[in-house]
Amino acid sequence: MTDPAEAVGYTLAANLRAARQARGWRLDELAGRSGVSRNMLQQIETCRTNPSIATLARISATLGIPIGRLVEPPEELGHVARGDDAPTRPGGRESVFRLLINDTTAPFTELWEARLAAHDEVSADAHPTGTRELLHVHEGTVTVEVGGATFTVGPGDALRMRGDRPHVYRNARAEPVRLTMTVVYAGVPDPRYREAGAAASRGTVAW
């Protein structure tokens, strides 16, 4: 198993080097600006030492980026969207749709989690032309209406559908439905849904 401290050290080394080079700074220049010795900076970038919080604070302030950014994997490699921060879209009475995460690079994709309350339904306007939706039901049975067609999707079932038509998710039964959806856009993403992390600041997303 990889040592967590070692993994953070490698991430810090890569992020510090990338941030410094992006500004066109040599080690000597970053040392002069931050007050951290060139030798220390070199050891950090070659993953030969674990700097103190005070040292990291001086480096991050000089670079103008939060300390957290220095020790987290670069966004182009991956990004964790915390479940507690997921923006939600209330639907019907007690139904809730949560935007778990989305990809801000083409093809733009969103991952949703939904709970559809008993005897409830949620209507959605059409997404941009060419949008597709993939839906997987974990519990309960949902009826989906799209473009005049009706599909019944039970536990363990999955549905591929057009997302660029007005559609309705309906639960006609006494037990709730729990499902996940992946929305894939053919061109530009739906402007109603901002990047998941940004939308979380409001706690809700438009529908």
Side-chain angles (χ1 to χ4, degrees), residues 3 7 19 42 53 87 97 110 115 119 125 128 134 144 146 158 201-202:
D3 181 354
Q42 187 174 43
I53 294 297
F97 282 62
E110 298 167 348
R115 182 185 183 280
H119 304 295
D125 293 332
L134 303 175
V144 181
V146 54
S201 63
R202 290 197 312 164

Side-chain angles (χ1 to χ4, degrees), residues 55-135:
T55 298
L56 279 180
R58 287 197 294 270
I59 294 171
S60 67
T62 303
L63 293 171
I65 58 178
I67 291 179
R69 286 269 304 279
L70 287 175
V71 296
E72 291 183 350
E75 285 284 336
E76 65 267 19
L77 297 182
H79 171 72
V80 177
R82 302 300 175 187
D84 290 343
D85 296 331
T88 61
R89 187 273 180 185
R93 296 184 297 276
E94 298 178 3
S95 301
V96 175
F97 282 62
R98 301 171 66 235
L99 177 55
L100 299 178
I101 196 168
N102 57 7
D103 191 355
T104 55
T105 59
F108 303 99
T109 307
E110 298 167 348
L111 180 62
W112 291 79
E113 177 187 65
R115 182 185 183 280
L116 196 58
H119 304 295
D120 202 1
E121 68 177 53
V122 174
S123 299
D125 293 332
H127 298 298
T129 301
T131 301
R132 311 291 294 186
E133 289 192 18
L134 303 175
L135 181 152

Side-chain angles (χ1 to χ4, degrees), residues 1-12 47 50 71 73:
M1 180 180 293
T2 303
D3 181 354
E6 183 179 6
V8 170
Y10 280 117
T11 299
L12 171 60
C47 204
N50 293 318
V71 296

